[in-house]
Amino acid sequence: MLFCLPSFAFFCPLAALARRLAGAGLWGLTLLASLFLAEAEASAAAPTESAQVAFVIQDYLDGSSYNRSEQLRRAFHADARLYLNGKDGAMREVGIEDYAAWFSKSPGQFNGRVGRLLNVQVEGDIASAKAEIVMSREPARFVDLFLLRRSEGQWKIISKTATRHATPAPSHGRQVLLVVSNVSKMPGTALSSGNSFVELVHAYAQFRAAGYGVQFISPEGGAVPLAYVDTSDAEQRSRVYDADFMWALAHTRKPEEVKAEDYAALMYIGGSAAMFGLADNPALRTLAARLYEQQRAVIAAVCHGSAGLAELMLADGSALVSGKRVTGYPDAFENKNAPYYKSFPFSIEQRLQERKGVFTQGPRNQSHVEVDGRLITGMSWESTRDVVAAIVRQLDAGAARP
């Protein structure tokens, strides 16, 4: 069954009920959507608390990655206890002073740990959090769980534990950005818009399988609208019930909140929402241009996500797409008399051609990808996997290497 949700967050307490409702037909899906929206609204009512917890976890992640023992210590309560793996699988209990001392050598130097916040749950003056750590120098991935408490107006970690997962090879520790839109209504209409869920799922899964960390960004940050969620598809259904994946979509970061040097690629995701708020966002354009020119990163787009390329300009004043083969959702596949199309600020095909891009297209309902240097584009949602595969090939071949 296919359904469209305007904007929602998914959290663990709803998981069991969601699994039952998803099998209850249209009524179940309608109620499920309402529950998701109610949960998102409840979360949005106290964004400051979640943001403060996230900031504390970021202190831990940055402090442990760059040997900043003081920053690391700042994240923890003085009496915090850490329960880690010891010898022969035994549990090892460590205090924060001993733990921080492990990161006191070579202060400020990157030690190969790449961390990513996965989830935050706040309940009154207590909270839990989850993070992932990949090790670029050994075949290991760690998942950290935190318990936090607010005392005297400050959040502090009071307990941490971790589990280690073996990986086939040392991680490269590289990350990519997936760009989504915050616009949930097509301007001038009552029509909902959203980011293509299937494109998000395919891109996320394939990047993760290739060993890349994934961060979602949007012009305004926070929760984004989702469209065309097909719960009859096993892969999409599994992501609907993936609390970490849905939390990330409910807590996207603003372009100003990420550092270009941390990422090897940026990809614009499609869906009708991509037509609004991406191409004209100054911070997003600046980030993409910096990634392309200064970091030698790959810039990519799929389907209506190619609208995000329309106003990308390089330092010399030329359009990024100028003289390059490029594709996106073509005019031939649009219903130009429909209200949705009339709400679009421009035609992707025409605008990219105006920017001197060489626009191409393939047969409907088939993958069609253009690779022109470090610009990679796909025509439709069917192209998503092939776009990601082309990105990974370029990155593995040396693009955007530090």
Side-chain angles (χ1 to χ4, degrees), residues 22-33:
L26 181 59
W27 175 87
L29 289 174
T30 301
L31 180 55
L32 177 58

Side-chain angles (χ1 to χ4, degrees), residues 181-199:
S181 170
N182 301 100
V183 177
S184 59
K185 291 288 184 183
M186 299 183 189
T189 78
L191 300 174
S192 295
S193 62
N195 300 281
S196 173
F197 192 68
V198 66
E199 293 172 30

Side-chain angles (χ1 to χ4, degrees), residues 12-96:
C12 297
L14 289 178
L17 180 59
R19 292 188 183 97
R20 296 180 65 183
L21 290 176
L26 181 59
W27 175 87
L29 289 174
T30 301
L31 180 55
L32 177 58
S34 298
L35 288 169
F36 281 142
L37 285 166
E39 190 76 11
E41 289 169 359
S43 175
T48 302
E49 299 295 339
S50 294
Q52 288 178 1
V53 170
F55 186 80
V56 171
I57 301 302
Q58 198 62 48
D59 266 345
Y60 159 77
L61 294 174
D62 290 345
S64 61
S65 293
Y66 291 92
N67 295 322
R68 298 170 184 159
S69 58
E70 283 303 317
Q71 183 178 12
L72 178 63
R73 190 179 289 107
R74 185 171 66 200
F76 289 83
H77 188 276
D79 297 324
R81 308 305 294 173
L82 294 84
Y83 300 93
L84 310 175
N85 291 332
K87 187 176 181 181
D88 298 325
M91 185 175 69
R92 181 183 183 187
E93 183 178 350
V94 180
I96 182 55

